[in-house]
Amino acid sequence: MGDYGRPLEFGYFLVPNTGDPLLETARLADRLGLDLIGIQDHPYQRGYVDTWTLLSMVAAVTERVRVFPDVASLPLRQPAVLAKAAASLDVLSGGRAELGLGAGAFWEAIGAFGGPRRTPGEAMGALEEAVEIIRQVWSGGRGLRFDGEHYTLSGANAGPVPAHDIGIWLGVKGPRGLALAGRAADGWVPSSSWATPEVLAESHARIDEAAAAAGRDPAAIRRIYNVNGAITDGESRGFLHGPPDQWVEELTDLAVGHGMDAFVLWPEGDQHKQLERFATEVVPAVRDQVRHEREG
């Protein structure tokens, strides 16, 4: 583990609060040149708009930024239909959709919305089946079949085929989830709130071991980090809570020392001000510093 050498990407974590200027914020992220907009998926939150509806609207009002659920709640998103939704959004947006996918959380709330209440083992088994089903559906094949414990395909006819190779990025932790990411996914998308820098090395090692055992190059797996914090003008208040130069130092270290290659800002405070400062004061400097350290 260390620097996997992948090109850096930067994004914004758009919380789907009903009363917020969501499309205005998305357009700002696009104008500022960010690469990604991620949107959390909690359908049972009464104060949130639906994630897939918002993703579609964001893609419609932007020009270049890529969009993804960060991460989709699999227990409330049937995988074959989820695959069709992602492929459709990719086609309609000109290849600007990715797929973050999670096994599920907040099981009481999921159950209240009619979803299954799974044990941790069942949730991981369903996630593994879903990845296989999604890839089958994206093939555009006819007569697709899959007979799993949680999901089936019984002669399904798939389409449309995505406009580009959509990445499946898993929001997982624990040995089984990380091994699945290494064996079958295109990326890992943790959050700094629960995957602190201190645990990244062990997590990468589990992903890399599983990737190598499956004959895959570990460096082919993206490592997307949702980073929660605040850019300030004062003294540091801890990890990712301080002035721009602190952010530049810490994100550079996360890239070249801790293996992360994409950073999705989940800011505290004034969202537009934080977004602008991130894009103008932090992102260019991190790109320059990482390039300098890689070349040096």
Side-chain angles (χ1 to χ4, degrees), residues 17-290:
N17 289 313
T18 301
D20 288 354
L22 299 171
L23 299 184
E24 178 185 340
T25 303
R27 284 190 289 260
L28 177 61
D30 193 44
R31 289 196 303 271
L32 289 168
L34 294 188
D35 304 291
L36 298 164
I37 291 176
I39 302 173
Q40 60 182 291
D41 185 32
H42 298 286
Y44 35 77
Q45 288 282 9
R46 67 187 302 269
Y48 288 176
V49 300
D50 175 67
T51 293
W52 275 99
T53 305
L54 179 55
L55 285 166
S56 299
M57 290 294 295
V58 167
V61 302
T62 56
E63 296 181 356
R64 55 171 304 280
V65 70
R66 305 199 321 280
V67 300
F68 71 105
D70 191 0
V71 289
S73 179
L74 176 62
L76 292 173
R77 308 283 185 182
Q78 202 275 347
V81 178
L82 179 64
K84 185 178 181 74
S88 300
L89 182 57
D90 197 53
V91 169
L92 293 170
S93 67
R96 293 192 289 126
E98 310 291 353
L99 180 58
L101 187 59
F106 308 105
W107 293 103
E108 290 297 319
I110 289 170
F113 249 57
R117 303 187 188 198
R118 292 172 174 151
T119 66
E122 289 170 341
M124 278 296 108
L127 183 62
E128 185 161 7
E129 290 182 14
V131 171
E132 185 171 345
I133 285 175
I134 289 166
R135 294 204 187 282
Q136 282 201 48
V137 172
W138 285 346
S139 74
R142 298 176 63 84
L144 301 176
R145 297 191 177 276
F146 181 87
D147 186 16
E149 180 180 351
H150 304 279
Y151 301 113
T152 61
L153 294 174
S154 302
N157 297 323
V161 174
H164 88 297
D165 290 332
I166 298 176
I168 298 178
W169 302 340
L170 300 186
V172 291
K173 56 184 176 180
R176 186 174 175 184
L178 295 167
L180 175 61
R183 183 173 64 254
D186 304 297
W188 177 47
V189 53
S191 296
S192 63
S193 57
W194 54 265
T196 62
E198 293 74 23
V199 306
L200 292 178
E202 180 180 356
S203 299
H204 288 311
R206 292 186 182 277
I207 293 171
D208 294 353
E209 181 181 1
R216 307 179 69 201
D217 179 4
I221 300 168
R222 290 211 67 99
R223 325 283 167 133
I224 306 99
Y225 207 18
N226 296 317
V227 289
N228 177 246
I231 304 167
T232 70
D233 292 318
E235 295 183 356
S236 172
R237 294 188 289 110
F239 178 61
L240 295 179
H241 287 78
D245 60 349
Q246 176 186 334
W247 277 73
V248 172
E249 179 181 350
E250 290 177 345
L251 293 188
T252 298
D253 182 59
L254 285 166
V256 300
H258 291 83
M260 307 309 292
D261 54 63
F263 301 101
V264 179
L265 175 68
W266 187 352
E268 300 170 5
D270 186 315
Q271 299 292 294
H272 282 195
K273 182 178 180 181
Q274 290 288 305
L275 173 54
E276 289 176 345
R277 297 197 71 176
F278 182 68
T280 60
E281 301 178 49
V282 175
V283 170
V286 174
R287 291 191 189 278
D288 288 344
Q289 185 63 27
V290 169

